[in-house]
């Protein structure tokens, strides 16, 4: 057992700093969602929920209300995935407030986001619409448009990943520059301008934009 | 004129500076969108919440090309 923990420790130490932060975000999300799920199971439907549980119920309800106009038929299938991606991105972008490296400022994690988007869109389009209809959509205005449609299928997930990477990377580079050139004044500047704007505000907006784009592209591929 | 490694690095920095110039057109587009949003609020003040969220989404989308230039500049400086 001790050998196992030793191996785990060495494995964790060998990771790069952004992936370490990503593992921390995963653990926080697992603990938080498990606690909220256990509380929601015990909930009395006559009473109003309180505190943190109430906030999480509001978040799920908000995402549900956003999804129903976009996916008229299939919103129950895709809402859990979209909510999970949104929560991971939100907490990952806020991770630099805890002194961790922002996970999305590593190109590997940003591009793995786009791989998830690509595989989800293709697989669910093949399952829900039959392969024949899917092929007709790819050839849609004219068979000559096939290369353009294929490039479009690859480039939208890629641009979603690169958008996240560029935003988070530029925020962290600005933070490094300002902390490097201002010694003590930089702490005040960082506390009141840098982290509220670049971590909280831009991080939340990027998570929201990712949720919107993912749901819209998925709806285009899946719904009629 | 000999092409040594310092020349190559200097050219990479020049290229990074040119790549960041993509922010020029992004800024014009975002300013245009913000101006239109102000017009829309002036015409229909009760729809301000919807206009605000649409403006933020559109601005984040319009930012993409500028972000690409920034990514290219970062790659030129730190990787190449």
């Amino acid at each position: 057992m001790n050998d196992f923990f030793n191996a785990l420790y060495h494995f964790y130490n060998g990771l790069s700093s952004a992936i370490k932060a990503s593992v921390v975000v995963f653990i926080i999300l697992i603990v938080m969602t498990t606690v909220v799920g256990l509380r929601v199971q015990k909930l009395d439907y006559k009473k109003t929920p309180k505190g943190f549980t109430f906030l999480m119920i509001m978040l799920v309800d908000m995402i549900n209300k956003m999804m129903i106009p976009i996916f008229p038929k299939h919103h129950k299938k895709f809402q859990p995935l979209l909510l999970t991606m949104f929560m991971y991105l939100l907490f990952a972008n806020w991770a630099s407030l805890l002194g961790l490296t922002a996970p999305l400022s590593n190109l590997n994690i940003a591009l793995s986001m786009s791989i998830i988007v690509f595989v989800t869109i293709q697989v669910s389009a093949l399952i829900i619409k039959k392969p024949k209809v899917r092929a007709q959509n790819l050839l849609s205005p004219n068979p000559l448009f096939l290369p353009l449609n294929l490039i479009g299928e690859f480039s939208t997930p890629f641009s979603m990943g690169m958008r996240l990477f560029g935003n988070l990377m530029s925020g962290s580079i600005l933070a490094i520059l300002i902390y490097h050139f201002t010694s003590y004044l930089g702490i005040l500047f960082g506390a009141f301008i840098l982290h509220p704007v670049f971590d909280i505000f831009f991080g939340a907006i990027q998570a929201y934009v990712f949720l919107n784009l993912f749901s819209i592209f998925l709806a285009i591929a899946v719904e009629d | 004129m000999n092409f040594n490694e310092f020349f190559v690095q200097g050219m990479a920095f020049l290229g990074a500076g040119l790549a960041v110039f993509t922010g020029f057109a992004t800024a014009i587009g975002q300013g245009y969108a913000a101006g239109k949003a102000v017009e829309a609020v002036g015409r229909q003040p009760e729809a301000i919440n919807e206009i605000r969220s649409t403006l933020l989404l559109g601005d984040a989308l319009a930012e993409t090309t500028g972000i690409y230039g920034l990514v290219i500049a970062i790659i030129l400086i730190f990787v190449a």
Side-chain angles (χ1 to χ4, degrees):
Chain A
M1 204 61 191
N2 210 4
D3 282 346
F4 174 71
F5 281 117
N6 247 338
L8 203 67
Y9 177 73
H10 281 293
F11 175 70
Y12 182 76
N13 260 355
L15 296 173
S16 77
S17 64
I19 299 180
K20 272 182 197 169
S22 179
V23 170
V24 173
V25 170
F26 280 142
I27 292 171
I28 291 174
L29 275 182
I30 289 171
V31 171
M32 203 180 73
T33 47
T34 312
V35 167
V36 171
L38 288 178
R39 276 198 200 162
V40 167
Q41 267 189 348
K42 284 185 209 155
L43 217 59
D44 188 1
Y45 67 92
K46 285 174 193 163
K47 286 178 192 163
T48 318
K50 277 182 286 186
F52 189 63
T53 320
F54 181 66
L55 273 181
M56 296 306 287
I57 290 173
M58 289 283 286
L59 177 69
V60 173
D61 199 41
M62 189 190 86
I63 304 283
N64 270 336
K65 274 182 190 154
M66 258 177 69
M67 286 307 127
I68 288 172
I70 301 177
F71 298 96
K73 272 191 222 158
H74 301 287
H75 60 92
K76 270 198 175 164
K77 281 175 206 155
F78 293 115
Q79 193 266 349
L81 174 72
L82 293 165
L83 177 65
T84 312
M85 297 287 283
F86 177 68
M87 277 172 67
Y88 172 71
L89 279 178
L90 198 65
F91 280 80
N93 292 349
W94 288 351
S96 49
L97 293 178
L98 300 176
L100 303 165
T101 315
L104 268 303
S105 65
N106 189 336
L107 189 58
N108 297 309
I109 296 178
L111 286 185
S112 67
M113 284 282 147
S114 49
I115 290 175
I116 292 172
V117 172
F118 179 75
V119 171
T120 311
I121 290 177
Q122 299 304 324
V123 169
S124 49
L126 277 183
I127 290 176
I128 290 174
K129 289 192 169 181
K130 296 294 175 265
K132 196 181 161 193
V133 183
R134 181 75 183 143
Q136 276 174 358
N137 275 353
L138 280 181
L139 298 171
S140 63
N142 197 324
L144 282 179
F145 278 73
L146 178 67
L148 280 181
N149 284 338
L150 284 181
I151 290 173
E153 293 292 323
F154 282 106
S155 74
T156 45
F158 183 71
S159 78
M160 283 161 76
M162 288 309 271
R163 176 181 300 122
L164 285 170
F165 170 68
N167 269 290
L168 274 292
M169 189 74 196
S170 66
S172 67
I173 283 180
L174 267 179
I176 289 169
L177 274 179
I178 286 171
Y179 285 136
H180 189 72
F181 286 122
T182 58
S183 54
Y184 289 107
L185 204 67
I187 297 171
L188 272 180
F189 191 72
F192 290 112
I193 298 174
L194 204 62
H195 291 299
V197 172
F198 281 96
D199 290 342
I200 299 179
F201 183 64
F202 282 1
I205 282 189
Q206 286 310 312
Y208 180 71
V209 166
F210 187 87
L211 174 72
N212 260 307
L213 288 180
F214 192 11
S215 54
I216 288 168
F217 286 129
L218 202 54
I220 289 173
V222 164
E223 299 279 338
D224 299 323
Chain B
M1 193 164 159
N2 54 342
F3 297 106
N4 52 10
E5 55 181 315
F6 300 111
F7 181 78
V8 171
Q9 203 175 14
M11 276 306 185
F13 288 161
L14 268 180
L18 283 179
V20 171
F21 205 63
T22 47
F24 166 71
T26 307
I28 289 178
Q30 284 189 347
Y32 192 72
K36 286 286 179 191
V38 171
E39 278 180 21
V41 172
R43 211 178 298 131
Q44 214 173 355
E46 67 274 7
I48 185 162
N49 283 323
E50 264 178 53
I51 291 169
R52 188 187 292 129
S53 64
T54 315
L55 174 68
L56 283 180
L57 188 63
D59 267 1
L61 277 178
E63 223 174 31
T64 313
T65 47
I67 292 288
Y68 286 167
L70 181 72
V71 168
I72 290 170
I74 288 168
I75 289 172
L76 274 177
I77 290 175
F78 291 107
V79 180

